[in-house]
Amino acid sequence: MAPHVRCGEGAVSWFAMHIQLRFCGLLRAGRNAGTALLVAAFVGSGFWGLLQPRTALAATTGSFQTTANPGGGSILTGTLGSSSLSAATAVLLRRVHTELGARPTVVQVAVNNRDHSLALLFTATRSSTPYTGIAIVTANAGSQAAGAALYDTSARFHTTVGPMMRRLQGMTVASASKTANGSSRRFAPPERLIPHAFSDGTGSISIPADWTLKVADGGSAIAVGPGGSAQVSYNMHFTGVDPSNPRAQMYLRTASPIARANLHGAVLPYTGDPVGSWTSMYQAMAKSELPPIHVTRSTSTGTATAIMSGIMGSGEKSVHFIAHVFLLPPNPNGMWQLTDSHVFVADAQFARQAETANAVLNSVRINFGALNAQQDAIRQSFQRQFEAEIANDQAQDAARQESTDEALASDRAAQEGMHRQAVAMENYSLDRAVVVNTATGVHSTVDSGFAAALVQGNSNYQQVPAAELLRGVDY
């Protein structure tokens, strides 16, 4: 049975946490979708940078270390003795074969050509027990490849993969913190976190007692460390208005300052580039208050989505950031969407706050049932409003049509009356009259004297008054 990931639980890392919300809607489609997106999470999670070969790893060919995960599962790490990605992957899979005592079968592969890396999902069966695992390999030219494999029984893998990812991150971050002279940057352990439920029941986040929760609803959150030392943002949304769109141009000409402020975004063209859009959006919204943004690393995680890291500003006031961004293209009105999750940590507080910020972001749990219900309620509200507006427009159209029909009928009646009166006047001036045979209903226009004699001498004839002249008969 293929494993799956539980949305909002067991976030793989503070990198992959950013892409979890984007993918979880697809994960609900079934377990097979979960296996595919689990590999995708590795590709976009930032583990590539952490697994770059370093002197802290053993320098001999095919050197491995196996670590048992306390909650279940095994973590295999090591150097793979080759700069070839395919050869290094083969070395790692042979080692997995040795460790498991069963040959792994590759189910899916995701390649990151930019970082010369790949992630693959594999299965194996040992003594009738199925196993599932993920392998990660990175191989840069001129250096030894490095890799890791995480595996457990298939029945348990979906619950242990998250803790194993976090444990692997801790192992590799410790190695990555080594400086050129071999010293290690010391990071303070994460502070004790206190859980806070979102006001609308769509999720929760845990923060230290001295942090401030700025946003906690609608499946989104913002938490700020003391004195602005750090900020954790999860699933925030911004609107861009493309000034090249004719409808957007009309909106910008007519919208009030309050309406434009409520956009929570900026007037920016849509480029489809998540990195450039993110930096432009933040700089435009902050105007001159935001220091220059220097993106030092970015990795595409799909169409119009990327994960990036870098520095804001310079010197003592610089801020380290990592962000995951995805874009939605413009609607017919020229409005496009940017969604971002990020961590900001001031350089001066990096050693003290980095692990805490990591823990805060990893603590986010989303109640997708409540979030979907909220979104459905919003959609239904808009639908009801839309339908009400349509019904009101239809009623107004019907009233206007009725008024028009009445006006036209009144005009026709007036025109008809004037025409009849004109015929009556013509008959009078020509000394004519209209008589009707009451027995047959036949109308005849005759000389007035003859009409008077006819009516007087025969009770079947009557003179027709002007108001009763018939159109198409008498005129």
Side-chain angles (χ1 to χ4, degrees):
M1 181 179 292
H4 67 287
V5 177
R6 292 183 178 179
C7 295
E9 299 182 10
V12 297
S13 70
W14 64 305
F15 303 100
M17 184 73 168
H18 294 185
I19 57 176
Q20 188 183 43
L21 183 63
R22 179 172 175 81
F23 285 155
C24 278
L26 296 176
L27 289 176
R28 287 193 294 273
R31 292 176 178 259
N32 290 334
T35 63
L37 294 178
L38 191 56
V39 174
F42 265 92
V43 174
S45 68
F47 272 97
W48 305 129
L50 298 176
L51 286 175
Q52 297 299 324
R54 298 180 177 89
T55 56
L57 296 175
T60 59
T61 301
S63 176
F64 294 96
Q65 178 182 352
T66 301
T67 304
N69 186 50
S74 299
I75 302 172
L76 175 66
T77 59
T79 54
L80 305 176
S82 173
S83 61
S84 166
L85 190 59
S86 59
T89 303
V91 171
L92 180 60
L93 289 178
R94 282 197 294 269
R95 182 66 181 196
V96 171
H97 186 172
T98 301
E99 294 285 330
L100 272 173
R103 182 176 181 178
T105 299
V106 175
V107 177
Q108 185 184 9
V109 179
V111 179
N112 188 322
N113 291 321
R114 178 173 179 172
D115 289 333
H116 309 288
S117 310
L118 65 78
L120 60 84
L121 179 74
F122 64 85
T123 59
T125 302
R126 182 176 69 187
S127 302
S128 301
T129 300
Y131 281 76
T132 300
I134 290 178
I136 321 155
V137 179
T138 181
N140 289 327
S143 62
Q144 292 191 73
L150 293 69
Y151 54 89
D152 198 355
T153 61
S154 297
R156 195 170 54 187
F157 184 73
H158 69 281
T159 61
T160 59
V161 61
M164 284 194 290
M165 286 181 178
R166 290 194 293 273
R167 188 174 181 85
L168 174 62
Q169 181 190 2
M171 294 162 60
T172 51
V173 166
S175 174
S177 65
K178 293 285 186 179
T179 62
N181 60 11
S183 63
S184 182
R185 186 171 188 178
R186 295 181 177 274
F187 289 89
E191 299 178 42
R192 179 177 175 272
L193 304 182
I194 301 171
H196 295 266
F198 291 0
S199 59
D200 56 2
T202 56
S204 66
I205 186 173
S206 298
I207 62 174
D210 57 351
W211 280 49
T212 303
L213 197 56
K214 298 289 188 180
V215 175
D217 57 30
S220 303
I222 296 179
V224 179
S229 58
Q231 183 188 85
V232 173
S233 170
Y234 184 82
N235 193 40
M236 299 304 296
H237 308 280
F238 305 92
T239 300
V241 181
D242 192 335
S244 66
N245 182 284
R247 293 188 184 180
Q249 293 171 1
M250 180 179 295
Y251 170 81
L252 294 172
R253 287 195 301 267
T254 59
S256 66
I258 294 177
R260 293 182 62 168
N262 286 336
L263 280 174
H264 301 292
V267 180
L268 291 169
Y270 179 79
T271 64
D273 171 23
V275 177
S277 297
W278 186 81
T279 56
S280 297
M281 181 72 75
Y282 270 76
Q283 288 171 334
M285 289 190 301
K287 297 182 172 61
S288 61
E289 302 174 9
L290 194 69
I293 300 175
H294 305 285
V295 177
T296 57
R297 181 181 178 84
S298 64
T299 301
S300 173
T301 54
T303 302
T305 176
I307 189 167
M308 70 193 81
S309 59
I311 301 289
M312 290 184 182
S314 59
E316 295 180 355
K317 294 185 178 181
S318 63
V319 174
H320 298 260
F321 71 84
I322 183 168
H324 181 264
V325 181
F326 68 90
L327 308 177
L328 291 177
N331 62 19
N333 296 320
M335 295 185 180
W336 53 276
Q337 300 294 319
L338 181 150
T339 297
D340 105 295
S341 297
H342 67 246
V343 170
F344 295 161
V345 183
D347 181 70
Q349 297 291 324
F350 191 71
R352 187 173 72 86
Q353 292 282 16
E355 291 290 354
T356 297
N358 175 17
V360 169
L361 186 56
N362 280 336
S363 74
V364 175
R365 298 292 182 269
I366 300 300
N367 181 344
F368 285 95
L371 182 60
N372 290 338
Q374 183 185 84
Q375 292 172 343
D376 287 342
I378 293 173
R379 283 193 292 269
Q380 291 173 10
S381 175
F382 275 109
Q383 183 65 27
R384 286 193 296 270
Q385 182 178 353
F386 183 65
E387 291 173 351
E389 290 178 356
I390 291 177
N392 183 58
D393 288 345
Q394 290 174 338
Q396 291 180 356
D397 288 344
R400 284 191 293 267
Q401 186 62 49
E402 182 179 0
S403 177
T404 299
D405 292 343
E406 290 177 352
L408 291 175
S410 176
D411 181 68
R412 285 195 298 269
Q415 294 291 335
E416 190 69 19
M418 288 188 291
H419 193 178
R420 186 183 299 111
Q421 188 65 32
V423 171
M425 290 298 294
E426 181 183 13
N427 288 340
Y428 176 78
S429 63
L430 297 176
D431 197 25
R432 294 185 310 196
V434 177
V435 294
V436 58
N437 186 329
T438 58
T440 62
V442 175
H443 285 226
S444 302
T445 301
V446 297
D447 179 82
S448 295
F450 179 71
L454 190 62
V455 169
Q456 185 175 5
N458 192 334
S459 61
N460 288 334
Y461 286 92
Q462 293 182 359
Q463 191 167 336
V464 180
E468 296 180 7
L469 296 179
L470 299 178
R471 182 178 182 84
V473 176
D474 301 321
Y475 61 93

